[in-house]
Amino acid sequence: MTDNSLDDPAEQDQDFTLTVDAADAGKRLDAVLAAHLDALSRNRIQSLIKSGDVTVGGAKIVEPKYRVNEGDALCLTLPEPEDPEPQGENISIAVVFEDEHLIVVDKPAGLVVHPGAGNWTGTLVNALIHHCGDSLSGIGGVKRPGIVHRIDKDTSGLLVVAKTDQAHKGLAAQFADHGKTGPLERAYSALVWGTPSALKGTINANLARSQANRQKIAVVKTSGRHAVTHWQVKERFGNDDQPALASLMECRLETGRTHQIRVHMAHVGHPLIGDDDYGAGFKTKANRLDEPLKGLIQGFNRQALHAGLLAFEHPANGKTLRFESPYPADFANLLSGLQKF
């Protein structure tokens, strides 16, 4: 499947386009779009098809079960943004930087970025609507005003949010480019099980929705979305005469797919500590440890991932802005416990 899309419509303009390849030929239209567009559920895609927002070769197709052919040009157009449905809520947020164009926040673990199934309130969007009032960009869609990029609920760290449509378009272009031609940088600190044999490397493995569990992402050999993660070992923890128990790693994204770091690190045998979705099989490691490290790991109820560095070009004045976030208390405590191991 060839496409020019992102994994999240909040990071792009309103169109998602792709060309059907041989692997997807003969499949249902809704199934093909769902497999290549992580941010929208299949039910949402079916609704968009029925409302005439999807074309095949320029012709509107309103039947989700329409079978696509190799070479078909598919285009999904998101509806124009409406007034935000979510209500502002007085939720405390850590503002790192703010002007009339954008706001940078340091998101705590546990805070969902935007409303969705099971989290219609209490999100960062609700907090931003309260904090910014009417000054948020609407281009991100009805439930995601201003959102340019996302991090998982249980990942902590830095996010930039647009306050104008112009800023949103400028930031979205940088995230689409992934820093290839501009100053965009995103670096994550991760505490992972074990340690790679090398000190640095690159994981290049396509990602797609898991066929076994649509809530999860999996590495796939064919089709899927191109995904590249660059990693570097910063510190290893363990006894000198034994393989390292764990490592502190820095991960930099060349692409921005859903759960990318978590899935890629699990794929190479070093899942994130605390990641029940992709590293559940490593829970027994903690059971064999002595206190207090055993308790620290067992009590760490999220993936050990922190978005600690964010840099980008200001979409209005062209200046490079660079922000760093210190480790949150839970991450810092776990790191300290590993360093004492």
Side-chain angles (χ1 to χ4, degrees):
M1 179 70 67
T2 302
D3 69 67
N4 63 356
S5 68
L6 299 176
D7 60 331
D8 185 350
E11 298 182 5
Q12 60 181 14
D13 291 335
Q14 298 300 301
D15 288 346
F16 171 85
T17 60
L18 53 85
T19 302
V20 177
D21 62 15
D24 286 321
K27 295 181 180 178
R28 288 173 54 125
L29 176 60
D30 58 344
V32 172
L33 289 172
H36 292 273
L37 185 51
D38 295 337
L40 299 179
S41 69
R42 189 162 175 175
N43 285 340
R44 174 61 171 149
I45 288 171
Q46 289 173 345
S47 176
L48 289 169
I49 293 172
K50 292 176 182 178
S51 62
D53 294 311
V54 174
T55 62
V56 178
K60 285 187 179 181
I61 300 295
V62 296
E63 180 53 64
K65 65 182 180 181
Y66 174 86
R67 301 287 175 170
V68 299
N69 299 305
E70 183 177 0
D72 280 350
L74 313 184
C75 180
L76 182 153
T77 300
L78 294 177
E80 289 298 316
E82 307 169 14
D83 290 335
E85 289 179 359
Q87 300 299 308
E89 298 177 41
N90 188 11
I91 300 169
S92 177
I93 53 176
V95 177
V96 177
F97 174 87
E98 183 177 12
D99 63 13
E100 66 270 30
H101 305 284
L102 56 88
I103 180 172
V104 177
V105 298
D106 197 347
K107 187 189 82 69
L111 181 64
V112 176
V113 171
H114 56 77
N119 296 285
W120 296 112
T121 61
T123 72
L124 178 62
V125 162
N126 298 108
L128 289 168
I129 291 172
H130 179 272
H131 178 86
C132 301
D134 295 330
S135 64
L136 285 177
S137 161
I139 198 170
V142 62
K143 293 184 175 65
R144 288 185 281 202
I147 300 300
V148 178
H149 65 122
R150 301 174 297 168
I151 56 178
D152 292 343
K153 171 187 175 182
D154 290 327
T155 297
S156 54
L158 297 165
L159 280 168
V160 58
V161 179
K163 296 175 70 175
T164 68
D165 285 355
Q166 180 184 8
H168 197 291
K169 290 178 181 178
L171 289 168
Q174 294 183 61
F175 278 86
D177 184 61
H178 299 295
K180 295 175 184 175
T181 61
L184 180 76
E185 286 186 83
R186 286 182 291 170
Y188 294 73
S189 294
L191 290 169
V192 307
W193 288 110
T195 190
S197 57
L199 290 177
K200 61 181 179 180
T202 296
I203 303 169
N204 189 335
N206 287 12
L207 301 177
R209 288 284 175 183
S210 169
Q211 295 300 309
N213 183 346
R214 295 288 295 172
Q215 300 302 312
K216 297 173 67 174
I217 307 298
V219 168
V220 293
K221 292 183 178 180
T222 59
S223 68
R225 310 292 302 285
H226 178 61
V228 179
T229 302
H230 303 286
W231 56 265
Q232 183 175 1
V233 176
K234 292 297 187 179
E235 195 171 353
R236 289 169 168 160
F237 313 111
N239 300 319
D240 293 337
D241 58 344
Q242 295 180 358
L245 170 71
S247 302
L248 172 66
M249 302 183 68
E250 179 185 87
C251 297
R252 290 179 178 254
L253 300 178
E254 185 175 314
T255 56
R257 309 306 182 198
T258 301
H259 297 181
Q260 179 174 318
I261 293 174
R262 299 167 60 191
V263 178
H264 270 178
M265 295 314 302
H267 176 63
V268 296
H270 304 290
L272 274 61
I273 294 175
D275 193 339
D276 289 341
D277 288 329
Y278 302 107
F282 282 71
K283 280 187 173 182
T284 55
K285 277 184 171 288
N287 295 334
R288 296 194 294 267
L289 297 173
D290 295 328
E291 297 292 355
L293 183 56
K294 177 180 177 180
L296 283 173
I297 292 178
Q298 290 181 333
F300 197 85
N301 296 318
R302 67 177 181 99
Q303 63 267 6
L305 188 62
H306 178 64
L309 171 64
L310 177 64
F312 55 89
E313 180 182 288
H314 194 291
N317 59 36
K319 294 181 179 179
T320 297
L321 301 180
R322 186 182 179 88
F323 305 97
E324 294 188 44
S325 166
Y327 298 138
D330 63 344
F331 193 103
N333 289 338
L334 178 56
L335 174 60
S336 177
L338 289 166
Q339 288 171 333
K340 297 174 182 175
F341 176 71

